Amino acid sequence: CIRRPEIVLYVLDALFYGSVGILIVFELELFLLLIALRIQFFRNCGYYLDFLIVTVSLVFELTLHGVDNSAAASAVIIARVWRLVRIGHGIFAGKR
């Protein structure tokens, strides 16, 4: 067992709850977009991919909290980086 100072545990918990909160906001945004666009939501691969990434990230975050599994953590990180790339591309494309 590795002993960690109490402040590190506090920071880890704060980051966990912050991450879950942000993912819930993204999930809510995508759900409202799904309601607004209905079937057109699934015709846009970007929306569908975002919905999939956010949902999988949220499920992983909630189920793997406190579990030391680097492979699953790597998958979540890759999915989140892909989402950031998509957001950056959207911002860049929107400025044109």
Side-chain angles (χ1 to χ4, degrees):
C1 254
I2 298 173
R3 291 190 46 88
R4 296 181 179 148
E6 192 171 316
I7 187 72
V8 172
L9 296 176
Y10 176 76
V11 169
L12 287 174
D13 281 344
L15 290 173
F16 167 74
Y17 290 117
S19 177
V20 169
I22 290 169
L23 286 171
I24 288 172
V25 169
F26 284 154
E27 193 75 31
L28 182 61
E29 174 193 10
L30 288 166
F31 183 70
L32 292 173
L33 192 60
L34 173 64
I35 290 171
L37 296 178
R38 296 187 181 122
I39 195 69
Q40 291 175 346
F41 180 88
F42 294 103
R43 291 184 182 149
N44 184 326
C45 292
Y47 291 151
Y48 185 72
L49 184 63
D50 280 349
F51 188 75
L52 183 67
I53 288 172
V54 171
T55 303
V56 169
S57 293
L58 185 59
V59 168
F60 277 176
E61 192 76 42
L62 293 173
T63 58
L64 298 176
H65 179 63
V67 175
D68 191 19
N69 189 343
S70 61
S74 296
V76 171
I77 290 170
I78 290 170
R80 288 182 182 172
V81 167
W82 179 251
R83 175 143 172 82
L84 288 174
V85 168
R86 290 215 1 93
I87 289 170
H89 178 265
I91 290 170
F92 179 74
K95 288 186 177 181
R96 284 189 183 182

